Every structure is written in C-alpha cells, then in structure tokens.
Amino acid sequence: MMSLEQALISESFGFNFDNSYLQLPPVFYRRQLPTAVKNPRIVIVNDVLATSLNLDAEALNRKGGWLLAGNTICPGSEPIAQAYAGHQFGGFNMLGDGRAILLGEHIAQHDQRYDIQLKGAGRTPYSRRGDGRAALGPMMREYLMSEAMHALGIPTTRSLAVIDTGEVVYREGIQPGAVLTRVASSHIRVGTFQFAAVTHNNQQLQALADYTILRHFPEIAEAEHRYLALLERVVDLQASLIAQWMNVGFMHGVMNTDNMSIAGETIDYGPCAFINIYHPETVFSSVDVNGRYAFGRQPKVAHWNLIRFAETLLPLIDVSEKKSITLAAECLDAFPAQFFAYWLAGMRKKLGLFNQEAEDQKLAEDLLMYMQKHQVDFTNGFRALGGDAEMHEAMYQDAGFQHWLRRWEARLARQKEHINQSKQLRRSANPSVIPRNHLVEEALAAAVDEADITQFHTLVAALADPYTDLDHPSRFMQPPGEVFDRQYKTYCGT
Ligand code: AMP
Ligand code: MG
C-alpha cells in the first residue's frame, strides 16, 4: 500500500477549524489521519459553496488537490473517524466511519459550524473488511444528487469537491478511486445514539445528547424536559424532511438508521434516485429485494427509525422507565400526523392552493391515483397542470380525470388569490428539472469511462436552477421511458 507522509501545510484555504466533537468521551471517535493517495487530481470544486463557506475557492482550484485528497492536512484540522452503530435493513450492526474521515468543524459566517469530511480517505479502525476507499462514479453521483437536492430547497449535506486519486479500487471490476469532500451540519446520526446506548453507560449517552442539544438545538438547552424536547425536534425535522422527499419524488434507497441525520439533513447518497413514473412501490436499489425502502414506504421507515432513536433516549427522558416510555410514545405517535401535515402543505403548493379546505387531501390523493393509473411522470405531471409541460394523453382522455380537473379549477376559483399567483406558487413547488436517472448515468459514464466531464458540468448547472421555467423543450425534462425504469438498478457504491 502507498504510504506518503501527510505534510502539514501552512496554507489554510480559509478553513477555520474548531473541533468540538473531540470534547466528547473518547469512545465516540478515533484519531485517524487520511491515507495519502498516489496522484490527486481535482475533478470538480464547488466554487459557490466554497465561497459561501468563506473558503478561498480560487486557491482550492489552483492548489487544493492534495488537501482535498487527504495528502496534506491544514492548520487546525484534527482528523477523526466517528463511531456509530445502526440498523441496516432491520439488522443491528456496530459500524463507524469505515472510509470517511472528519477533518474538523469549519466555522463559517455567522458562527455557523460545518463538518468537513473526506469520504473515501482510507482505512480507519472501523473499516472492518472494507478498503476505506470510494470509486469515482459514486462520488460524482453523490456530488450531483446532493447539490440537486440543495437547489430544490431540501435540507441536505453538501459536496465541496471530488478528487480523482490516481489509484484504482476493486468493485465490480476495476474503477478509478475518488475522494469526496462532504459538508454537513454534523454527522450525528440516529446510529450515533444507538452506539451510545449499547455501551450501557448513561454518562456517555448523556454527554452525546447534551452535545447534540448545544450544537443543533441550543434553544432547548435549559428546558426542563430537554431530552424529550430533543426527541420532539428530531421527529419534527424528519417529518418535514421526508415530506419534502415525497413532494419531489426523491427516494433515498437505503434509510438505515446510520443514514438518518439528527440535524434533519438528507445524508448518504448511495442508491438514491428520483422516480419518473409515479408508483409508490418503486424500488431501484439492487440490494433492496423486499422493497423495504420503496418510495411509498419512506414515511413508515422514518417512523420506525425514530422509534429506534427514542429507545436510546429512554434512560434520559425520565428516571421512571415507565414514564419515559409513555412520554416518548406520545411524541412518536404524533409522527404520522405531523408527516401528513407537512406532506399536505407541500401538495397544496404543488396544486397552487394558498388556503386550506377539507377536500384538499382528497384532491391531492385523487390526482396521484390518476397518475398511477396512467403511469404518468411525476415531475412532468405536476408541471403539466399549470400548462408548463404537455399533459399525459391517456390521463387527459380519462373522464374521471377530466372531472378532477374541473374540481381543481373550481377549487382555485374559490380562493381569493389571482390565478397568476397560484401559477407562481405551483412553479415554485414543481421543479422542471430533476436528476433524471438516465441523464445522471449518461453523464457519469462519459466522465468515468471517457474522461469527458462536459456533460456532468452541464447537468450540474441545469440542476442548480430547478424551478425556473424552461421556455424551450429541454432534454433535461424528458423522462427516459418505461423500459429504462423497469431495468434501472442503483448500487450502494461501496
Ligand atoms: P453505507 O452503506 O455507506 O451507509 O456504509 C455502511 C457502513 O459500511 C459504514 O460504516 C461505512 O463506513 C462502511 N463502509 C462502506 N464502504 C466501505 C469501504 N469501502 N471501506 C470501509 N468501510 C466501508
Ligand atoms: Mg452510511
């Protein structure tokens, strides 16, 4: 194995590290330097993100390759791998950062704190049998998907850069290796709490909970029942997040508890994909043979994961276990209704509705029913309502759907807002451009197999502005056709 010494460089590139995670009890992490790679080459640097984080984008592009590959460490960085556990497809495992290394917490503007993590940076004490590395295709995919989610306005980890390592990794065949720089509000997961809980050390558990509260929910730090309040916050953030996924057709693909962020961000872009034709049972992930993480099951899975989170907090919520369970159960029981309220609020926007009427739920569900019946593209189907895309012919011919259209028009006429305002609202909630699977795969294939990154750049640029009305028919709006979808498979990319 290559072993280049990490050089500590004086160049900071604007990084301003303050590593509060190191104040947690030592069981929660291990100090671990990235393993240097042979020949780092910058594939892409996210200039806009870099600038918004107060980083020196120009310097990163010019000479940041070594730093972003983990070959050098800059001042203030104290690299660690984090410990966590998690339910993977329902089975509990001890995990941890097996191929990701946290360089530190960067303090950006307004004292905002961000984890800066290198994914694919080499082996750690948690690697088990893994090689600690990542392949170029999946890291470029994470870059593209996470940035698309951000542009859609959905909470997510971000991607600062992708580096080609100049080494190869062995997956299905030989692939170029890569390191992704991931930026997150934190990497504290449901699985981090599960890790704390299995140690049966309540001091450690409480240290993690207190740390999490101070970092993400300082407003509850003085609350009398702060651990219950922590549960409530996380439940609320997840209800909102999953509703936003459902509103744009995003399928995470591997909602294991280690892939659920306490800060409420979408995290871990492995086998995720956007649906084209609307069907709740859609699954693309090659490993999800039972459809555990199917599109329509996401709210249920989130609820299940949150129950696992609540279980870890029971020793902290109240001295009486019985009382803890009662309080936690009350909070968890509220999740389905909370999710539904967020989902319906999103649907109202998609339908251009400003106020609320009792019939709105039925209106939204009936539309989805017609979409499913006629195999309508979810994204274009909603754009077509405003006349911004072509209406699906078979659905349009359906007398039932014609009746639905009249119901909807009558509903629009009953609100005081002008029809143009309604149209504006719809456009702000119904993207025209999403990362269509076939376009993503085409762009990745060109970049990885032919070293041609132009398509990737074009796609990234188009996805940065998803709600703008394209007045020309764009290939970015074309669904791939049913055959592609039926055969399409996504992979965990490990
Ligand atoms: P994921 O499927 O990305 O959520 O990863 C699940 C677990 O497997 C995490 O603990 C990862 O750190 C670990 N893992 C994934 N790929 C690798 C790899 N190539 N080497 C070491 N650990 C890995
Ligand atoms: Mg993971």
Side-chain angles (χ1 to χ4, degrees):
M1 187 178 272
M2 282 294 301
S3 102
L4 299 171
E5 282 288 304
Q6 257 88 15
L8 179 73
I9 44 164
S10 53
E11 171 87 52
S12 81
F13 296 93
F15 279 111
N16 174 23
F17 285 116
D18 172 72
N19 308 317
S20 63
Y21 210 78
L22 294 166
Q23 290 156 21
L24 279 176
V27 283
F28 286 109
Y29 61 88
R30 299 284 280 275
R31 288 184 186 266
Q32 176 66 56
L33 288 173
T35 305
V37 301
K38 203 160 144 190
N39 190 17
R41 184 182 60 80
I42 292 176
V43 176
I44 189 167
V45 169
N46 191 335
D47 292 340
V48 176
L49 176 61
T51 305
S52 77
L53 291 173
N54 272 353
L55 299 175
D56 187 342
E58 186 275 326
L60 279 173
N61 277 286
R62 195 157 38 83
K63 50 185 176 177
W66 276 50
L67 177 77
L68 299 168
N71 284 27
T72 51
I73 295 298
C74 75
S77 169
E78 297 173 274
I80 58 169
Q82 294 179 328
Y84 53 87
H87 279 91
Q88 300 178 298
F89 291 90
F92 186 78
N93 291 307
M94 297 303 278
L95 301 165
D97 288 332
R99 58 164 173 171
I101 291 173
L102 182 68
L103 293 183
E105 299 150 32
H106 167 64
I107 312 294
Q109 295 160 58
H110 314 298
D111 282 339
Q112 284 280 356
R113 183 178 294 267
Y114 296 97
D115 272 10
I116 307 294
Q117 190 200 62
L118 298 184
K119 188 168 173 181
R123 289 181 52 82
T124 78
Y126 310 108
S127 293
R128 294 170 291 167
R129 286 188 300 276
D131 61 1
R133 292 300 185 189
L136 181 59
M139 293 307 100
M140 291 180 75
R141 194 168 190 278
E142 168 153 349
Y143 184 104
L144 188 137
M145 297 301 276
S146 62
E147 289 306 302
M149 289 292 272
H150 172 74
L152 285 164
I154 300 176
T156 176
T157 63
R158 306 280 309 268
S159 297
L160 181 63
V162 176
I163 304 294
D164 183 329
T165 60
E167 299 177 358
V168 295
V169 294
Y170 300 89
R171 298 294 185 263
E172 293 108 37
I174 298 177
Q175 293 180 37
V179 177
L180 172 92
T181 308
R182 179 157 71 181
V183 179
S185 287
S186 85
H187 285 83
I188 306 170
R189 311 141 188 270
V190 167
T192 315
F193 278 84
Q194 291 181 291
F195 171 86
V198 290
T199 66
H200 295 292
N201 179 326
N202 283 350
Q203 269 169 335
Q204 283 169 12
L205 176 67
Q206 188 172 348
L208 177 66
D210 287 340
Y211 174 82
T212 303
I213 288 170
L214 276 182
R215 182 157 173 184
H216 293 302
F217 313 106
E219 67 281 3
I220 62 169
E222 304 298 326
E224 197 185 340
H225 299 289
R226 62 182 185 277
Y227 304 113
L228 183 64
L230 170 62
L231 177 62
E232 284 164 357
R233 290 298 153 112
V234 174
V235 167
D236 183 62
L237 286 174
Q238 287 297 329
S240 163
L241 179 67
I242 310 298
Q244 292 179 72
W245 291 358
M246 302 304 288
N247 285 151
V248 297
F250 175 79
M251 179 162 52
H252 184 282
V254 60
M255 291 175 68
N256 295 335
T257 56
D258 57 303
N259 295 338
M260 184 180 258
S261 153
I262 295 298
E265 292 176 336
T266 311
I267 188 170
D268 226 320
Y269 290 84
C272 65
F274 279 72
I275 58 166
N276 294 302
I277 290 170
Y278 175 72
H279 200 299
E281 281 162 30
T282 307
V283 178
F284 292 126
S285 170
S286 57
V287 293
D288 191 2
V289 284
N290 296 317
R292 180 182 172 92
Y293 300 138
F295 178 69
R297 278 190 47 82
Q298 296 186 121
K300 279 210 162 59
V301 175
H303 194 196
W304 190 91
N305 289 351
L306 290 165
I307 297 170
R308 303 289 81 77
F309 177 54
E311 284 165 356
T312 70
L313 294 178
L314 290 179
L316 302 181
I317 289 176
D318 196 278
V319 283
S320 144
E321 190 184 31
K322 201 162 156 239
K323 184 142 182 238
S324 282
I325 292 174
T326 310
L327 291 169
E330 242 170 62
C331 173
L332 291 165
D333 288 348
F335 175 82
Q338 248 167 302
F339 161 77
F340 182 75
Y342 281 119
W343 178 84
L344 187 56
M347 275 296 165
R348 282 201 177 96
K349 286 190 187 149
K350 290 176 85 68
L351 292 172
L353 306 178
F354 287 92
N355 60 347
Q356 304 181 7
E357 284 189 12
E359 192 221 12
D360 296 344
Q361 174 183 350
K362 183 99 176 52
L363 199 63
E365 286 172 352
D366 285 353
L367 174 60
L368 292 177
M369 185 268 289
Y370 287 114
M371 283 188 168
Q372 186 175 332
K373 178 177 168 195
H374 294 291
Q375 307 202 317
V376 175
D377 183 84
F378 183 77
T379 302
N380 291 356
F382 275 99
R383 294 289 292 190
L385 287 180
D388 292 338
E390 220 166 293
M391 188 76 77
H392 189 273
E393 188 59 31
M395 182 165 82
Y396 193 66
Q397 299 300 335
D398 186 323
F401 178 69
Q402 284 289 338
H403 178 65
W404 183 92
L405 271 179
R406 286 193 296 275
R407 268 164 68 205
W408 177 55
E409 282 156 10
R411 172 70 179 84
L412 289 179
R414 281 200 299 278
Q415 62 185 5
K416 67 175 194 310
E417 285 79 7
H418 191 267
I419 199 77
N420 285 343
Q421 286 171 280
S422 164
K423 187 164 183 157
Q424 211 126 55
L425 180 64
R426 288 201 303 275
R427 284 189 178 176
S428 74
N430 295 317
S432 55
V433 186
I434 54 156
R436 300 265 180 195
N437 304 319
H438 64 296
L439 298 176
V440 174
E441 297 308 325
E442 266 174 44
L444 293 180
V448 175
D449 304 336
E450 286 145 48
D452 177 3
I453 196 181
T454 32
Q455 266 193 68
F456 182 79
H457 279 296
T458 313
L459 187 54
V460 166
L463 290 167
D465 201 6
Y467 295 108
T468 298
D469 202 33
L470 300 174
D471 50 13
H472 54 90
S474 157
R475 64 186 204 92
F476 297 118
M477 294 166 67
Q478 277 297 319
E482 201 201 331
V483 180
F484 178 93
D485 260 17
R486 246 188 283 132
Q487 295 169 349
Y488 186 58
K489 286 270 168 286
T490 58
Y491 300 89
C492 280
T494 54

